[in-house]
Amino acid sequence: MAHKPYAIKLELVRGCTARCPFCALRHMPWVDEEYRYMSIDTFTHIMLDLQNWLPKFRLEFANRGEPTLHPDLLEMTRIARKINPKCQILLTSNTDLMVKNGEEWYYQTIKNFYEIGGNIALLDCYVPNRYQKVMELFNGKFSFVEQFFGENEFNPYHYRNEKFKALCIKDAAVYEGAAKENKILYYHNQGGNAHLDNEAQQKIWTIEQPKEPLQKMCVRPFRELTIHYDGTVPVCCDDWSEQQIIGKTSEGSLIEIWYSNFNEQRKRLLSKDRTAMPCNKCSVGAGNRVGLEMNWFENKQEISNGIG
């Protein structure tokens, strides 16, 4: 039976302050171009489109850029909370602007995010000394945050409810020649878009390019809807090069895109066929718990009507 997406991933910003070795951004043709921002109009259009379709869902500010670079981040958080009161808003940040704009600026940005209606801030530090600084900056400071987490097994990628608030601080830095284990993060080639420059990096981050398409299921096009800054909908959050564009928010509703445009690729994945781009070069192991997806095409009337 067709179901609704569990997560909506919005790219508020295309572009980042960091150049992490395990990230696909370094290999994008636009890596050194000016930042591109999702407009307030596009954002509001998406929120209104979701209003009656998804009463509750996880809204993620992430993807190919650093969301705290957006000048209207807090206004967008306010809009999302007003239009979609049951959504859970997750902000993923690389903490780089704590250095560039100052600790007080970064602290206030995260504090305002919570006060306006945000739920979970996932702060990726990437270097040990910054991890320590971020822990010192935030630990015990937010009385309204129900749970504070340093490095542990807390997984922010689960919908809890619109009132749950957590601050999750992670460190993906390298220690003694090996990647530090991160309980919620594993490294892959992001749909073939991330590749490492030498064998030493490959050993550290264990990112490899499949020699041939993997014969395995992937559930991401069944569970997540990613929207880039200009309203482009790629096949999944790892299609950084937009090799398989599923639709555009300016050309159709999200319901139409979700229940119709994705189906050709979903049929391939159900048969473990990853020959279409970018899946043919992807090393993401997103094929767990596929039972619900196996019944996706059982009721064609439900799909055509957009009822999950």
Side-chain angles (χ1 to χ4, degrees), residues 290-304:
V290 301
L292 186 61
E293 281 68 38
M294 301 307 292
N295 300 323
W296 185 271
F297 296 103
E298 279 191 356
N299 193 326
K300 296 181 180 179
Q301 188 63 35
E302 284 191 353
I303 295 174
S304 64

Side-chain angles (χ1 to χ4, degrees), residues 198-266:
N198 53 58
E199 291 185 3
Q201 287 186 353
Q202 293 174 17
K203 184 177 181 181
I204 291 171
W205 304 106
T206 66
I207 295 175
E208 298 179 351
Q209 301 289 352
K211 294 181 175 59
E212 57 187 30
L214 301 176
Q215 295 298 308
K216 62 188 300 184
M217 170 64 168
C218 178
V219 299
R220 287 195 172 176
F222 294 86
R223 300 181 181 181
E224 304 171 350
L225 183 61
T226 299
I227 306 174
H228 286 166
Y229 76 95
D230 58 356
T232 297
V233 179
V235 68
C236 83
C237 61
D238 289 308
D239 188 8
W240 282 37
S241 299
E242 297 184 343
Q243 297 177 81
Q244 189 175 167
I245 296 176
I246 301 299
K248 294 181 179 293
T249 58
S250 60
E251 298 175 357
S253 72
L254 292 178
I255 291 179
E256 294 170 343
I257 292 172
W258 178 252
Y259 286 107
S260 299
N261 298 23
F262 275 94
N263 284 342
E264 182 178 350
Q265 180 61 3
R266 287 181 180 133

Side-chain angles (χ1 to χ4, degrees), residues 138-206:
F138 288 104
N139 194 6
K141 301 289 180 62
F142 295 154
S143 60
F144 50 83
V145 174
E146 298 177 15
Q147 307 226 20
F148 173 90
F149 300 90
E151 194 82 24
N152 63 14
E153 297 183 358
F154 172 69
N155 191 328
Y157 302 111
H158 294 156
Y159 179 89
R160 290 166 175 82
N161 59 61
E162 73 281 3
K163 296 181 180 179
F164 177 85
K165 293 184 183 296
L167 179 65
C168 184
I169 300 175
K170 291 292 176 181
D171 175 17
V174 174
Y175 296 87
E176 297 179 358
K180 186 176 187 298
E181 286 191 16
N182 187 309
K183 299 299 183 182
I184 66 165
L185 182 64
Y186 68 97
Y187 300 96
H188 51 76
N189 70 3
Q190 293 176 280
N193 292 295
H195 49 88
L196 300 173
D197 300 323
N198 53 58
E199 291 185 3
Q201 287 186 353
Q202 293 174 17
K203 184 177 181 181
I204 291 171
W205 304 106
T206 66

Side-chain angles (χ1 to χ4, degrees), residues 88-130:
Q88 179 173 281
I89 306 174
L90 165 63
L91 170 70
T92 300
S93 171
N94 67 12
T95 70
D96 210 26
L97 289 184
M98 187 182 83
V99 177
K100 297 181 182 302
N101 290 356
E103 293 184 8
E104 181 60 26
W105 177 91
Y106 195 75
Y107 175 85
Q108 289 298 327
T109 297
I110 301 301
K111 182 174 184 290
N112 291 339
F113 167 74
Y114 284 118
E115 292 178 340
I116 289 170
N119 299 102
I120 300 175
L122 172 59
L123 309 184
D124 288 320
C125 301
Y126 298 130
V127 289
N129 61 341
R130 189 182 303 169

